[in-house]
Amino acid sequence: MKNIKIISLIIGILIVLLCGLFYKKAIQESASFSSSFNIHKLTDKEYEEVGVSGLDNPIKDDFRKVEIKVAMQHTHKIKNRKIIVPTMVELKNAINSYDMERYWFGNSSEEDNENTNSTEYVFEFIFYSKGLEDNDIEMLFSDLEISASWLDPYGNIQKENYLLEYSQ
């Protein structure tokens, strides 16, 4: 009798653990999130579009292009998706916070239609990078956060927060 109770207890624990694993796997498979933060040297064509008035002897290597992409893919079972990304003003303020006005120009796009199973945000801008090292640039954006929340297939609120991480 004692052995039956122990075996029943072990089987019960295994069932609870397996259910928990399947639940976690279902949630993980229901939504995937990706982001990238890259900094590139300008091409000759991009540099031709940069206005350089007010700078002392600027060269192409004094400028960099930032590309930030944030995307979320999910199943149709996800509801109330909400993505919060830094605004272009926040990105501009971050790059200008170092020592001078460094933001030159840029644009952003957003595809966040509630009727689709994906969303994407893209930011691109040119900034004056003379005198900045890669770690200086990374530090300027280190406090900017991306937040994602949604209702999973079981009606539970899921939240994830990410910091912008510079990819070299």
Side-chain angles (χ1 to χ4, degrees), residues 32-36 69-73 83 118-121 146:
S32 68
F33 186 84
S34 65
S35 66
S36 65
K69 294 182 181 179
V70 177
M72 181 177 175
Q73 305 287 326
I83 309 287
S118 65
T119 183
E120 182 178 65
Y121 296 82
I146 301 163

Side-chain angles (χ1 to χ4, degrees), residues 105-142:
F105 63 89
N107 60 57
S108 64
S109 65
E110 171 185 327
E111 289 184 33
D112 193 355
N113 183 337
E114 294 237 359
N115 298 325
T116 65
N117 293 345
S118 65
T119 183
E120 182 178 65
Y121 296 82
V122 178
F123 302 89
E124 294 181 342
F125 63 89
I126 306 295
F127 72 98
Y128 184 61
S129 62
K130 185 174 183 176
L132 295 178
E133 300 294 327
D134 284 347
N135 58 343
D136 297 326
I137 297 166
E138 184 177 0
M139 180 205 62
L140 292 171
F141 295 100
S142 65

Side-chain angles (χ1 to χ4, degrees), residues 52-118:
V52 294
S53 63
L55 298 175
D56 294 330
N57 302 316
I59 59 173
K60 181 173 78 170
D61 285 342
D62 291 341
F63 295 88
R64 295 288 184 268
K65 180 179 183 178
V66 171
E67 293 178 331
I68 299 170
K69 294 182 181 179
V70 177
M72 181 177 175
Q73 305 287 326
H74 57 82
T75 68
H76 66 281
K77 296 176 183 177
I78 294 291
K79 304 291 182 225
N80 299 335
R81 171 189 73 216
K82 184 170 184 170
I83 309 287
I84 300 172
V85 296
T87 65
M88 197 60 133
V89 170
E90 290 171 314
L91 295 169
K92 180 179 177 179
N93 290 342
I95 198 66
N96 288 342
S97 69
Y98 189 75
D99 59 354
M100 60 187 281
E101 189 167 331
R102 291 181 171 274
Y103 177 90
W104 234 244
F105 63 89
N107 60 57
S108 64
S109 65
E110 171 185 327
E111 289 184 33
D112 193 355
N113 183 337
E114 294 237 359
N115 298 325
T116 65
N117 293 345
S118 65

